[in-house]
Amino acid sequence: MSDILEVAGRKLNSRLIIGTGKYETYEQNAKAAEAAGAEMVTVAVRRVNLTDKDKPLLVDYLDPEKYLYLPNTAGCFTAEDAIRTLRLAREAGGWELVKLEVLSDQKTLYPDMEETLRAAKLLIKEGFDVMVYCSDDPVYARKLEDAGCCAIMPLGSLIGSGLGIMNPVNIRLIVEQSSVPVIVDAGVGTASDAASAMELGCDGVLMNTAIAEAKDPILMASAMKHAVIAGREAYLAGRMPKKRYADPSSPLAGLI
């Protein structure tokens, strides 16, 4: 079955996107990406070494010809910082498909939606294709899509928390109203969380800590791969309705 994820004209077979932070080494990161079957990786432009040849380079382990790099603005707390970071990313690597996140405070790393929307509008005017990290607020999700964002990325729960999908109702509302891909970003802790996100109808899942801080990151990456596939297939299959009472698997009529 052909089931392609398309974001701003880029076509992906895998619906699992992984990060490039918190791994012990770039080599471990590369092995995890392989085990996950990922085709897109996020890159924190302010934290990951892309240009200093005197230190290990990410591109030596995750080939940009094999993986679609998604520069992000992790660590930015104002629209100006985020815009400046992505302008530098475009100059350094020619990247135009980017992930925007503007955070509100160090304790929660919750997105500042007012600043996020302002930055998104300015970046889109400059020709960027903006995938946007946001709260699970359907109202702001609609505003971001109306502004021209090519993917909406609501949090499952706080970044790095591993709490899973805390508000499935809102995630489902965002899915139902959106005409661009919806990708759960942040909060996934284990495979069942990834499957749950996909069963809600999300187009993909992005994660970093859930794999990087697992006791066995490579095995967890493999588990996440299968979870995303299973959740997607379950969503496409259409689950049975929930019922208040038992319904026998075999008909009761004609019993001996």
Side-chain angles (χ1 to χ4, degrees):
M1 180 178 64
S2 178
D3 185 32
I4 302 297
L5 171 60
E6 184 169 349
V7 182
R10 286 80 167 178
K11 295 182 179 181
L12 304 169
N13 292 298
S14 173
R15 293 176 178 271
L16 175 57
I17 304 167
I18 73 166
T20 53
K22 298 187 177 181
Y23 290 92
E24 291 181 0
T25 63
Y26 285 153
E27 182 179 10
Q28 185 188 63
N29 195 168
K31 289 180 179 179
E34 186 72 26
E39 295 175 294
M40 177 185 285
V41 295
T42 61
V43 179
V45 179
R46 302 180 73 184
R47 297 173 181 165
V48 173
N49 181 30
L50 296 170
T51 57
D52 186 353
K53 295 183 179 180
D54 293 330
K55 299 177 182 178
L57 290 166
L58 179 66
V59 294
D60 291 336
Y61 295 86
L62 290 165
D63 185 355
E65 296 297 320
K66 179 178 179 181
Y67 296 98
L68 180 60
Y69 274 35
L70 181 66
N72 70 42
T73 58
C76 292
F77 291 84
T78 66
E80 285 73 23
D81 281 349
I83 292 166
R84 186 182 309 113
T85 298
L86 293 177
R87 285 171 178 165
L88 290 171
R90 182 158 62 181
E91 290 179 11
W95 294 298
E96 292 189 342
L97 179 64
V98 296
K99 178 195 164 191
L100 170 66
E101 57 182 83
V102 183
L103 307 176
S104 59
D105 63 84
Q106 290 281 359
K107 184 176 181 180
T108 67
L109 299 180
Y110 205 78
D112 183 326
M113 294 311 304
E114 185 177 4
E115 287 287 279
T116 298
L117 181 58
R118 185 164 69 88
K121 290 179 178 178
L122 291 170
L123 288 167
I124 290 164
K125 284 183 178 179
E126 293 187 16
F128 286 95
D129 294 319
V130 178
M131 301 171 67
V132 60
Y133 169 65
C134 60
S135 64
D136 55 4
D137 178 352
V139 176
Y140 258 112
R142 183 182 293 112
K143 288 181 178 181
L144 289 165
E145 182 175 352
D146 290 344
C149 292
C150 64
I152 306 300
M153 308 178 77
L155 53 80
S157 52
L158 299 181
I159 290 174
S161 69
L163 290 171
I165 311 301
M166 298 296 288
N167 197 340
V169 173
N170 274 22
I171 298 294
R172 181 61 192 171
L173 289 173
I174 293 171
V175 168
E176 289 177 353
Q177 74 180 19
S178 299
S179 58
V180 297
V182 175
I183 300 170
V184 161
D185 179 7
V188 169
T190 191
S192 57
D193 300 331
S196 294
M198 298 305 295
E199 288 174 1
L200 289 170
C202 292
D203 297 281
V205 181
L206 190 155
M207 65 185 71
N208 186 71
T209 309
I211 296 176
E213 293 193 354
K215 291 181 180 179
D216 186 334
I218 314 307
L219 186 58
M220 183 60 81
S222 176
M224 292 298 187
K225 171 185 176 179
H226 295 297
V228 168
I229 293 171
R232 177 65 176 175
E233 289 185 350
Y235 170 71
L236 294 175
R239 64 158 291 147
M240 62 168 285
K242 294 182 178 180
K243 303 171 185 177
R244 294 181 60 194
Y245 301 101
D247 184 5
S249 299
S250 300
L252 294 177
L255 291 179
I256 298 174

